[in-house]
């Protein structure tokens, strides 16, 4: 299997309800992350790196910012005459309302699938932060003769209502699957990256439709009505699932660790994103910056420690920013102090104001607020 | 047939820029990196698109590979147009024989066909080696208002520098009365910026006449404009008072880069109403470590800084290890400065490696003979070995061995 045998479907709206603060004005795929990215960039770049040239992005609510971000797909080289990028906003034909679940999203994508000549489909969500090497996933799928390959990570289970916990046999096949078991805290959990043949996916969608099945994981994967060979592929390296504002904060701050950055921003698979044409970041006289990840276009005259700053952030003289995640165009005025704060875009902290959260309870300031 | 355009631009980007030495061994001067993430040509190209000029011919001749590749289809500058857009124009074979571009005027002469396709009223002739922000639309208004045949952008320079420029004398209305080319004792400080707007029908005539004159060196400044002046055409000087710098020498390139750090320099790269566009690379944000001390500097995406950086411009993907010091320097993409190395008053070209303990350049204050002082330049891909020393003003195009002094 090579890139041109695979088409991608990225579903952006699956977990918006679990990151309500950040998805108040956008969908999961366009949640800013890591200084200059949006969450959709990671999986989209992985697909493009593998050579996938046909990708559908399905979305349900608040998708204006996502459409704005992706545009015609040029940053990912998906602005094509042949194949390229397809946007799948909800399509209200009879029987399929606005997408409420992965199943209805897939039913909405049926037309896209029917017109796709690629043999395989990679279906993913947007709330996973990893730099997936799809070549390895594809090789694993072929070696194991799998019908369906589910990517998984090990560790503390994401606190989502549909976390699929996998038990794996010696041959990497999934022997048992539980959905968000109450009494388990750690384990191997699926990260909503699934590779399978297009023909199989269409068959499963039709079968689900015929039986009135509503939940892809529970009704299809767990029941496994056709005795399919479902295999689990462990994503190597950095792979984290965003399930809450706290985890968003923790994962953002973990980028200050070199190993995490090296895994996520490896040279072989660059993460591509929309260009903003900012100037380089300017550090003024008397600025003090320690252990921080800083995007282009910032102007820093104050103090910044242990923080992640997005493009165009201003930190004035005498301002102090510690343990913060500041999104685009946040303005921290002179004499203001922020500690353990997440600011959405265009937040202004006026002179002398102090904001403080805690590392296990970061304070969130919503888009455009002036404090 | 292309649609008629009121004004198109021709950008002269064919020069070697020999005074930039090893920095232009493999690339044309307009492709030289500048200001942390840009290349010199981004400035005139962005000025064009910001001024509403959507058709630009870029004349290339010397080492065009990287420049052509960089310009591509013009998308980064929004110049990928169905009608117009950016066109790279190289010398080509003709039935009467093949010629390189013999001079600036000849380069335009050889592309009369290109310009005629758009039947423009006016043509802006621009240089690919100047750093400035300028609204050509305002200059065009000035040109039209004066019913000029040619308008030359003019900057009042300090008197002690005037002798380096082509100078102009004007009457109170701005009409040019006389020229003086790099005089020893300047009587004017009104310098030509090398930015021209011509009425195309006039320029076309003078270009053809100039080409027929075998004694001409086919240069705008030396031949075409003086010929227009002698013939009594209306030539005007358009006063400009923003930041402008010809970055044709190592010193001026170094200075202009550091000018970007000076708010008083009057060239704001952060101004969103007049953005300078560039082809962006996919680099993660920069990381500033606990051990770093970064002040008064410009740093680009992908950099990892563990050392001390002061008054410097760092391009993308530069690594400054813990314990290294970089001061008053320009560090181009991909360069690595290892721990204990000291780089000051220097320019490191792309992918230079400075091994630990190496010492490059020197502060002018610590130099006894100021005439021997200058910016040290390390060429692309060069490795400066452990504890090696590179003296000021040296241009280093070969690896420097461990412990060696050059």
């Amino acid at each position: 299997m090579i890139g041109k045998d695979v088409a991608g479907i990225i579903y952006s709206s699956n977990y918006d309800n679990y990151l309500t603060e950040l998805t108040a004005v956008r969908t999961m795929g366009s949640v800013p992350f890591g200084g200059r990215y949006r969450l959709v960039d990671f999986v989209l770049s992985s697909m493009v790196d593998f050579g996938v040239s046909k990708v559908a992005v399905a979305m349900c609510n608040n998708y204006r910012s996502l459409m704005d971000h992706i545009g015609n797909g040029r940053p990912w080289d998906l602005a094509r005459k042949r194949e390229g990028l397809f946007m799948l906003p909800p399509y209200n034909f009879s029987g399929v309302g606005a997408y409420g679940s992965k199943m209805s999203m897939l039913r909405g994508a049926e037309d896209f699938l029917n017109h796709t000549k690629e043999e395989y489909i990679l279906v993913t969500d947007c709330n996973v932060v990893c730099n997936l090497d799809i070549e390895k996933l594809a090789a694993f799928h072929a070696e194991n003769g799998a019908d369906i390959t589910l990517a998984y990570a090990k560790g503390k289970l994401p606190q989502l209502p549909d976390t699929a916990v996998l038990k794996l046999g010696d041959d990497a096949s999934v022997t048992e699957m539980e959905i968000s078991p109450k009494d388990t805290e750690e384990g191997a959990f699926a990260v909503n990256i699934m590779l399978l043949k297009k023909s199989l996916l269409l068959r499963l969608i039709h079968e689900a439709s015929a039986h009135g099945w509503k939940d892809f994981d529970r009704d299809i994967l767990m029941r496994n009505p056709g005795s399919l060979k479902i295999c689990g592929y462990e994503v190597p390296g950095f792979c984290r699932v965003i399930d809450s504002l706290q985890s968003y904060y923790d994962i953002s701050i973990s980028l200050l660790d070199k190993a995490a950055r090296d895994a996520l921003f490896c040279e072989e698979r660059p993460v591509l994103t929309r260009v903003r044409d900012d100037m380089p970041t300017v550090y003024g006289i008397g600025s003090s910056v320690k252990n921080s990840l800083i995007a282009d276009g910032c102007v820093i005259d104050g103090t910044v420690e242990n923080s992640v700053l997005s493009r165009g952030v201003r930190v004035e003289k005498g301002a102090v920013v510690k343990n913060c995640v500041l999104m685009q165009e946040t303005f921290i005025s002179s004499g203001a102090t922020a500690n353990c704060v997440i600011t959405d875009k265009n937040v202004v902290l006026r002179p002398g104001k102090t904001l403080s959260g805690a590392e296990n309870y970061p304070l969130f300031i919503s888009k455009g607020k002036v404090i | 047939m292309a649609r008629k355009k009121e004004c198109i631009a021709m950008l002269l980007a064919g020069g070697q820029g020999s005074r930039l030495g090893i920095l232009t061994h493999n690339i044309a001067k307009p492709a030289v990196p500048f200001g942390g993430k840009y290349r010199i040509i981004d400035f005139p190209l962005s000025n064009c698109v910001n001024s509403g000029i959507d058709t630009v011919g870029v004349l290339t001749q010397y080492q065009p590979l990287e420049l052509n590749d960089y310009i591509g289809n013009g998308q980064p500058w929004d110049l990928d147009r169905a009608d117009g857009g950016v066109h790279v124009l190289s010398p080509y074979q003709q039935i009467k024989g093949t010629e390189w571009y013999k001079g600036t005027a000849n380069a335009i002469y050889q592309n009369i066909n290109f310009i005629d396709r758009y039947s423009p009223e006016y043509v802006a002739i621009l240089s690919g080696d100047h750093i400035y922000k300028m609204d050509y639309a305002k200059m065009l208004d000035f040109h039209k208002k004066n019913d000029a045949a040619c308008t030359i952008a003019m900057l009042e320079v300090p008197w002690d520098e005037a002798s380096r420029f082509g100078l102009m004398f004007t009457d109170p209305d701005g009409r040019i009365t006389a020229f003086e080319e790099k005089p020893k004792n300047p009587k004017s400080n009104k310098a030509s910026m090398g930015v021209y707007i011509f009425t195309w029908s006039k320029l076309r005539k003078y270009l053809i006449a100039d080409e027929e004159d075998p004694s001409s060196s086919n240069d705008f400044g030396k031949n075409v404009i003086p010929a227009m002046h002698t013939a009594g055409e209306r030539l005007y000087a358009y006063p400009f008072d923003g930041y402008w710098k010809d970055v044709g020498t190592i010193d001026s390139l170094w200075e202009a880069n550091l000018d970007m750090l000076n708010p008083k320099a009057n060239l704001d790269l952060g101004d969103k109403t007049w953005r300078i566009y560039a082809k962006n690379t996919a680099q993660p944000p920069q990381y500033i470590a606990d051990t770093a001390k970064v002040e008064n500097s410009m740093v680009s995406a992908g950099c990892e800084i563990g050392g001390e950086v002061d008054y410097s411009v760092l391009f993308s993907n530069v690594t400054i290890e813990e314990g290294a010091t970089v001061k008053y320097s320009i560090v181009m993409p991909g360069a690595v400065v290892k721990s204990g190395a000291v780089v000051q008053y220097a320019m490191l070209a792309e992918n230079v490696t400075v091994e630990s303990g190496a010492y490059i350049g020197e502060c002018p204050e610590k130099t006894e003979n100021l005439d021997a002082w200058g910016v040290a330049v390390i060429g692309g891909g060069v490795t400066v070995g452990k504890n090696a020393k590179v003296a000021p003003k040296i241009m280093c195009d070969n690896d420097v061995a461990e412990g060696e002094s050059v």
Side-chain angles (χ1 to χ4, degrees):
Chain A
M1 194 189 318
I2 57 171
K4 71 176 174 59
D5 301 328
V6 181
I9 297 181
I10 301 173
Y11 185 34
S12 166
S13 302
N14 217 6
Y15 296 105
D16 289 3
N17 294 341
Y18 300 92
L19 199 60
T20 44
E21 296 89 346
L22 288 169
T23 57
V25 288
R26 55 177 80 85
T27 172
M28 189 65 85
S30 58
V31 167
F33 182 82
R36 65 177 306 211
Y37 305 99
R38 304 295 182 119
L39 288 175
V40 74
D41 294 341
F42 292 91
V43 63
L44 199 50
S45 302
S46 282
M47 286 185 182
V48 170
D49 170 74
F50 180 52
V52 174
S53 58
K54 185 168 190 175
V55 181
V57 180
M59 54 201 85
C60 182
N61 298 313
N62 289 353
Y63 48 77
R64 205 183 69 186
S65 73
L66 181 66
M67 297 191 79
D68 189 39
H69 175 68
I70 295 179
N72 64 354
R74 189 198 297 280
W76 303 271
D77 210 6
L78 287 172
R80 304 277 185 96
K81 194 178 238 180
R82 293 154 47 121
E83 281 92 34
L85 184 79
F86 292 76
M87 295 290 214
L88 304 181
Y91 183 68
N92 282 310
F93 60 87
S94 63
V96 182
Y99 312 145
S101 67
K102 189 191 281 177
M103 184 70 95
S104 59
M105 179 279 290
L106 287 171
R107 286 188 61 195
E110 224 183 299
D111 212 32
F112 168 80
L113 290 168
N114 283 327
H115 287 97
T116 292
K117 64 177 188 340
E118 282 75 4
E119 192 181 354
Y120 293 90
I121 305 290
L122 186 69
V123 185
T124 77
D125 280 348
C126 282
N127 64 332
V128 180
V129 182
C130 70
N131 189 331
L132 184 69
D133 186 350
I134 299 175
E135 195 173 341
K136 292 206 176 99
L137 174 76
F140 173 93
H141 185 83
E143 274 163 29
N144 288 287
D147 293 311
I148 298 178
T149 296
L150 303 177
Y152 71 87
K154 278 183 185 159
K156 194 170 167 295
L157 299 184
Q159 297 303 299
L160 295 167
D162 63 348
T163 301
V165 181
L166 311 179
K167 291 223 164 60
L168 296 139
D170 292 338
D171 61 347
S173 65
V174 176
T175 53
E176 207 188 317
M177 198 167 168
E178 290 180 298
I179 304 292
S180 302
K182 285 272 180 292
D183 49 352
T184 318
E185 287 204 340
E186 294 205 356
F189 56 91
V191 292
N192 288 319
I193 295 171
M194 170 175 79
L195 180 66
L196 74 176
K197 276 200 169 141
K198 182 190 89 167
S199 53
L200 175 60
L201 180 59
L202 277 169
R203 206 184 83 209
L204 294 174
I205 294 170
H206 294 153
E207 210 162 315
S209 172
H211 291 89
W213 294 337
K214 296 265 187 285
D215 190 311
F216 197 88
D217 287 358
R218 283 187 170 85
D219 295 328
I220 295 181
L221 297 179
M222 277 177 84
R223 284 192 203 187
N224 193 3
S227 303
L228 300 167
K229 182 167 185 189
I230 301 176
C231 290
Y233 168 78
E234 186 178 358
V235 179
F238 189 90
C239 180
R240 306 279 296 271
V241 173
I242 295 174
D243 61 357
S244 61
L245 190 67
Q246 179 71 48
S247 67
Y248 173 83
Y249 176 79
D250 292 341
I251 298 168
S252 297
I253 294 293
S254 75
L255 295 180
L256 300 178
D257 175 27
K258 180 161 172 58
R261 282 201 311 281
D262 287 349
L264 204 54
F265 305 124
C266 59
E267 268 177 47
E268 311 87 77
R269 290 185 303 282
V271 184
L272 308 170
T273 188
R274 183 172 164 212
V275 166
R276 240 189 60 139
D277 288 297
D278 284 300
M279 63 172 178
T281 283
V282 177
Y283 298 86
I285 299 168
S287 73
S288 167
V289 180
K290 307 276 178 204
N291 190 36
S292 292
L293 193 65
I294 297 181
D296 270 1
C298 296
V299 178
I300 300 174
D301 293 309
T303 299
V304 178
E305 286 176 24
N306 309 325
S307 295
V308 178
L309 271 52
S310 288
R311 302 191 265 197
V313 169
R314 285 287 310 267
V315 180
E316 286 196 329
K317 218 172 191 57
V320 179
V321 172
K322 289 184 180 174
N323 311 307
C324 286
V325 178
L326 307 183
M327 291 183 201
Q328 271 182 38
E329 311 284 339
T330 294
F331 194 105
I332 309 291
S333 310
S334 64
T337 303
N339 180 37
C340 296
V341 171
I342 303 173
T343 61
D344 206 319
K345 285 168 72 172
N346 300 312
V347 164
V348 178
L349 195 54
R350 306 278 296 158
K353 298 287 179 214
T354 298
L355 285 180
S356 190
E359 269 167 38
N360 62 356
Y361 199 87
L363 188 63
F364 178 79
I365 313 296
S366 57
K367 190 173 172 179
K369 279 276 179 297
V370 177
I371 295 173
Chain B
M1 191 65 193
R3 202 187 308 174
K4 180 179 167 67
K5 303 275 180 185
E6 187 191 28
C7 181
I8 72 170
M10 299 295 276
L11 180 49
L12 299 161
Q16 179 188 350
S18 53
R19 287 172 301 161
L20 288 180
I22 53 180
L23 291 180
T24 54
H25 270 188
N26 302 313
I27 56 174
K29 180 158 66 169
V32 168
F34 180 86
K37 68 174 282 195
Y38 309 96
R39 297 188 188 236
I40 297 168
I41 198 170
D42 290 331
F43 288 80
L45 280 180
S46 301
N47 284 340
C48 279
V49 72
N50 287 332
S51 304
I53 296 176
D54 64 5
T55 305
V56 184
V58 180
L59 300 133
T60 65
Q61 174 158 286
Y62 171 80
Q63 286 283 6
L65 174 66
E66 189 148 334
L67 185 58
N68 293 358
D69 187 46
Y70 184 70
I71 294 170
N73 67 352
Q75 188 271 331
W77 306 272
D78 217 3
L79 286 170
D80 54 333
R81 305 289 175 100
D83 176 37
V86 69
H87 297 256
V88 174
L89 304 169
S90 299
Y92 53 93
Q93 282 194 323
Q94 305 176 34
I95 196 80
K96 61 177 196 268
T98 306
E99 273 181 340
W100 292 104
Y101 293 151
K102 291 181 290 181
T104 50
N106 177 256
I108 305 298
Y109 171 82
Q110 290 201 36
N111 288 290
I112 285 179
N113 289 344
F114 170 79
I115 299 172
D116 280 345
R117 279 164 58 93
Y118 297 97
S119 342
E121 298 293 325
Y122 310 101
V123 173
I125 308 288
L126 311 171
S127 254
D129 45 10
H130 298 156
I131 302 298
Y132 65 115
K133 285 182 167 186
M134 183 173 177
D135 189 346
Y136 304 135
K138 284 190 183 148
M139 182 171 167
L140 182 60
D141 286 344
F142 178 89
H143 179 87
K144 286 195 269 191
K145 195 185 81 198
N146 290 305
D147 190 24
C150 169
T151 299
I152 303 172
M154 173 265 287
L155 184 74
E156 291 192 15
V157 295
W159 282 94
D160 54 338
E161 289 176 24
S163 62
R164 289 168 34 215
F165 294 94
L167 302 173
M168 296 179 278
F169 296 88
T170 59
D171 70 13
D173 296 333
R175 184 160 176 179
I176 296 168
T177 53
F179 290 98
E180 213 176 16
E181 190 65 21
K182 298 181 185 170
K184 282 226 166 63
N185 299 305
K187 292 182 208 59
S188 164
N189 69 336
K190 292 175 172 157
S192 162
M193 294 163 57
V195 173
Y196 312 103
I197 290 180
F198 290 94
T199 299
W200 174 232
S201 56
K202 303 250 182 192
L203 175 63
R204 199 176 187 284
K205 204 174 81 190
Y206 283 94
L207 284 175
I208 292 167
D210 180 66
E211 190 62 23
E212 281 165 359
D213 176 4
S215 67
S216 171
S217 52
N218 306 115
D219 185 88
F220 274 104
K222 286 193 201 116
N223 310 108
V224 175
I225 291 169
M228 291 176 88
H229 184 56
T230 312
E233 296 285 359
R234 294 168 68 84
L235 309 186
Y236 276 79
Y238 172 71
F240 177 78
D241 59 359
Y243 181 90
W244 177 87
K245 196 150 203 156
D246 179 336
V247 287
T249 63
I250 291 290
D251 286 349
S252 65
L253 180 63
W254 176 78
E255 270 173 32
N257 269 286
L258 294 184
D259 280 346
M260 300 301 114
L261 300 172
N262 181 359
K264 292 195 188 114
N266 200 12
L267 188 111
D268 180 8
L269 292 173
D271 177 9
K272 284 172 186 154
T273 62
W274 204 271
R275 277 189 202 270
I276 301 301
Y277 300 99
K279 191 166 168 179
N280 284 258
T281 51
Q283 305 300 341
Q286 53 201 276
Y287 176 72
I288 313 293
D290 263 335
T291 53
K293 188 166 184 284
V294 184
E295 274 193 79
N296 202 19
S297 291
M298 202 171 231
V299 181
S300 302
C303 287
E304 294 260 341
I305 315 290
E308 191 182 334
V309 178
D310 191 14
Y311 214 67
S312 295
V313 175
L314 272 48
F315 286 71
S316 63
N317 274 358
V318 166
T319 305
I320 310 291
E321 288 187 359
E322 181 178 348
T325 303
V326 175
K327 284 183 176 175
Y328 294 89
S329 292
I330 314 302
V331 186
M332 292 186 188
V336 178
V337 180
K338 297 199 175 162
S339 68
V342 177
V343 176
Q344 38 190 358
Y345 295 87
M347 279 205 269
L348 309 184
E350 291 175 63
N351 301 315
V352 162
T353 305
V354 179
E355 296 288 351
S356 58
Y359 195 96
I360 296 175
E362 186 57 274
C363 312
E365 298 85 48
K366 286 194 187 166
T367 319
E368 282 166 18
N369 177 8
L370 269 183
D371 290 334
W373 181 84
V375 175
V377 183
I378 311 294
V382 166
T383 299
V384 178
K386 264 188 193 168
N387 304 318
K389 200 162 187 260
V390 177
K393 217 172 180 171
I394 293 285
M395 274 210 194
C396 207
D397 205 13
N398 295 306
D399 287 358
V400 183
E402 188 173 333
E404 194 185 348
S405 286
V406 292

